[in-house]
Amino acid sequence: MSNESGPPESLIVLQRTLNAAAEEARSHGSSREEWRPWVEAAAAAENAFAEHAAAVGIGVDELRSAVEKAARTT
């Protein structure tokens, strides 16, 4: 990623929320209602990633990769 300091903490927190929602849904089943929190978190994450990537001039995939890595390691 071109930003030396890494992705913003707000995106890392959003990714962790997304990860937790997926884990919670996996532990309870596969109904549409059980996955709703993940779907909502995923939509919010995609919008935030797209906005930030456009603002700093990098690709969304590059940003997403950096955020996912930071969410696992910090």
Side-chain angles (χ1 to χ4, degrees):
M1 200 167 119
S2 59
N3 181 350
E4 305 303 331
S5 64
E9 186 65 25
S10 61
L11 294 182
I12 295 168
V13 169
L14 189 57
Q15 181 64 48
R16 288 183 181 142
T17 300
L18 180 61
N19 295 349
E23 194 61 37
E24 181 72 15
R26 278 189 215 101
S27 72
H28 292 291
S30 59
S31 77
R32 187 176 273 193
E33 190 59 34
E34 290 162 331
W35 279 91
R36 184 178 313 280
W38 178 85
V39 170
E40 292 170 358
E46 284 304 309
N47 288 334
F49 291 169
E51 288 177 13
H52 184 76
V56 298
I58 61 171
V60 174
D61 291 337
E62 181 182 1
L63 175 62
R64 185 182 302 108
S65 178
V67 169
E68 288 172 352
K69 180 179 178 182
R72 287 190 307 267
T73 61
T74 59

